[in-house]
Amino acid sequence: FGQSSPVVWKDKVFVTSVEGEFKDTLNVLCFDLATGKEKWKKTFSGSIKVKVSDYVSKGAPTPIATADRVFALFE
């Protein structure tokens, strides 16, 4: 699940998402702009567990990309 806006930096697209019954697995993903293939995925453990529902989305904040870093905040 994720509702962030995709961020394009040169040939890469960055998005955030969450996984798990309690949305406790937080992801930052990078895709190739031309092919749409996943280049990498970084996964982090969330500190607060929230039951999956249509009303809560920890993956909603949009990431920020610079020349050498990606910054992502989660709910």
Side-chain angles (χ1 to χ4, degrees):
F1 299 97
Q3 297 170 319
S4 67
S5 295
V7 172
V8 176
W9 182 266
K10 298 188 179 185
D11 63 341
K12 297 176 182 73
V13 179
F14 301 98
V15 295
T16 59
S17 70
V18 296
E19 295 178 78
E21 181 182 0
F22 294 100
K23 298 184 178 184
D24 54 344
T25 301
L26 314 174
N27 304 308
V28 180
L29 298 102
C30 176
F31 295 92
D32 183 274
L33 180 62
T35 66
K37 292 184 180 179
E38 186 178 307
K39 293 177 79 80
W40 54 259
K41 176 180 177 180
K42 301 294 181 184
T43 301
F44 306 91
S45 295
S47 58
I48 298 174
K49 295 183 178 190
V50 177
K51 185 77 172 163
V52 169
S53 76
D54 292 336
Y55 302 104
V56 178
S57 178
K58 292 182 181 182
T62 300
I64 299 169
T66 66
D68 59 348
R69 298 198 197 298
V70 176
F71 299 89
L73 300 173
F74 291 87
E75 182 180 297

